Amino acid sequence: MRLYIKNMVCLRCKMVVEDVLKKLGLHYSAVELGVVEGVPDITDTQRAKLKEDLHNSGLELQEDRKEILIEKIKNVIIKMIHSLEELPAVNYSYYISDAIGLDYTYLANTFSSVKGITIQQYIIKHKIEKVKELLLYGDMNLTEISYKLNYSSVAHLSSQFKKVTGHTPSDYKHQMSEKRIALEDI
């Protein structure tokens, strides 16, 4: 049996899920972002306890088909942007469709109807979060970041960054550096 879990976005989330499953004595074959593979049938009592324990950790056991599909889409995007060393060279729509095994138009329509934003807007949001991370904690300049995240130019990256955050990348980096220095002085 396969279980779907909402809000799994990092290695820590996977460890939390593994810990919850072990405490409940539930065996599994693999835990990946958003999904637990190979869980034998569980009782209603075990399911209720699993839901409660996951909820206490900020996670959620999913049972609605549309919500499960949305989480699959989100996990593919998060993995694509935050986990891969290099973004795929193919169009994102092909990548997402291929990873999930469903028509992109169906995925896009379902995502938009449930989330209220397009897949493209969700991708942009995560790309900008990755830019923030690379600006603050990496040793890459804006040109390198632009190339790494498949932007057509530094100007396009800067424009999109300002549209999403309200700041230019250099202003953002400067402000965050000042905040970090201020916190260190406390």
Side-chain angles (χ1 to χ4, degrees), residues 20-135:
V20 167
L21 292 168
K22 285 177 186 170
K23 285 181 182 175
L24 293 174
L26 297 173
H27 300 282
Y28 57 90
S29 58
V31 176
E32 297 298 327
L33 289 183
V35 65
V36 178
E37 298 282 353
V39 177
D41 288 336
I42 59 178
T43 66
D44 290 340
T45 305
Q46 287 174 315
R47 182 175 293 278
K49 182 66 174 147
L50 177 61
K51 285 173 102 170
E52 178 186 336
D53 290 352
L54 290 173
H55 179 73
N56 291 338
S57 298
L59 303 171
E60 183 180 328
L61 184 63
Q62 291 188 294
E63 299 176 87
D64 178 69
R65 294 185 121 187
K66 275 189 179 181
E67 283 293 330
I68 290 169
L69 181 58
I70 298 306
E71 280 302 303
K72 284 182 182 180
I73 295 168
K74 287 168 54 178
N75 287 332
V76 167
I77 292 168
I78 289 166
K79 183 177 181 182
M80 176 180 72
I81 293 171
H82 297 283
S83 298
L84 296 179
E85 189 60 35
E86 198 170 294
L87 288 179
V90 298
N91 189 312
Y92 297 146
S93 60
Y94 294 123
Y95 181 83
I96 294 166
S97 179
D98 186 52
I100 295 177
L102 292 171
D103 176 66
Y104 183 77
T105 303
Y106 172 73
L107 296 174
N109 290 337
T110 303
F111 191 90
S112 294
S113 70
V114 172
K115 296 301 290 175
I117 63 170
T118 66
I119 288 177
Q120 187 61 32
Q121 289 168 323
Y122 190 79
I123 289 170
I124 290 168
K125 177 182 162 191
H126 277 276
K127 283 178 78 172
I128 295 303
E129 288 303 313
K130 184 67 173 182
V131 171
K132 287 178 182 180
E133 176 186 322
L134 292 171
L135 281 171

